[in-house]
């Protein structure tokens, strides 16, 4: 019939699938909705063999939850003239502000790079806890006569 439109509702269940992970690896979860009720069924990835999750169930590849209120220690070190400030690997953040002179920076043992007065640099990660992030490299800031700079850092206690 010309000029008509409409829709037809079928009374069949709606199935959605999601691959999830637990302590043993990945498995398949089926969400079935029929008559307004949702039922979940867990199977191995074959979609047939029954599976019982172990431990926490998360989306595969999801970042672990950060530790609740991790304790951080902080440092602030000002260097005037010749001398060095070293921040070891494992820090959560490192910030440098150069007030005067031309100190150098070496990251992870790489060649030292001179910095001009007025330079401000920061490195940091945003997720801590037992499986969290940290800066992998050590930072060494070296001053020469006439240098004046401030280095601050944080690390998880």
């Amino acid at each position: 019939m010309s000029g008509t439109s409409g829709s037809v509702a079928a009374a069949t269940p709606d199935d959605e699938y999601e691959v999830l992970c637990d302590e043993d690896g990945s498995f398949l979860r089926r969400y079935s909705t029929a008559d307004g009720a949702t039922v979940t069924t867990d199977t191995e990835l074959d979609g047939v063999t029954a599976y019982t999750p172990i431990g926490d169930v998360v989306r595969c590849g999801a970042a672990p939850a950060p530790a609740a209120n991790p304790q951080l220690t902080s440092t602030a070190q000002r260097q005037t003239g010749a001398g060095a400030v070293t921040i070891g690997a494992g820090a959560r953040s490192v910030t440098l502000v150069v007030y005067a002179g031309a100190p150098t920076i070496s990251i992870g043992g790489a060649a030292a790079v001179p910095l001009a007065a007025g330079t401000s640099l920061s490195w940091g990660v945003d997720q801590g806890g037992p499986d969290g992030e940290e800066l992998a490299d050590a930072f060494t800031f070296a001053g020469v006569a006439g240098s004046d700079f401030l280095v601050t850092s944080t690390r998880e206690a």
Side-chain angles (χ1 to χ4, degrees), residues 49-50 68 81-82 101 115 118-119 134-136 139:
T49 308
L115 302 168
T119 298
E134 59 185 33
L135 297 170
F139 295 76

Side-chain angles (χ1 to χ4, degrees), residues 81-92:
V85 174
T86 299
I87 305 297
R92 290 272 303 271

Side-chain angles (χ1 to χ4, degrees), residues 10-132:
T12 60
D14 178 29
D15 291 338
E16 302 289 330
Y17 297 87
E18 184 172 20
V19 177
L20 298 172
C21 288
D22 66 1
E23 291 178 13
D24 283 342
S26 55
F27 64 95
L28 187 64
R29 178 165 286 170
R30 181 178 71 229
Y31 301 91
S32 298
T33 304
D35 299 325
T38 300
V39 176
T40 61
T41 305
D42 296 329
T43 65
E44 292 187 13
L45 294 177
D46 65 8
V48 176
T49 308
Y51 184 82
T52 302
I54 298 172
D56 292 334
V57 174
V58 297
R59 289 180 183 242
C60 298
N69 300 316
Q71 297 297 305
L72 300 179
T73 59
S74 302
T75 64
Q77 301 171 72
R78 188 163 184 172
Q79 178 65 43
T80 56
V85 174
T86 299
I87 305 297
R92 290 272 303 271
S93 69
V94 176
T95 299
L96 164 75
V97 178
V98 179
Y99 299 115
T104 62
I105 179 175
S106 176
I107 302 174
V113 175
L115 302 168
T119 298
S120 176
L121 301 170
S122 291
W123 299 262
V125 297
D126 64 355
Q127 183 174 342
D131 299 320

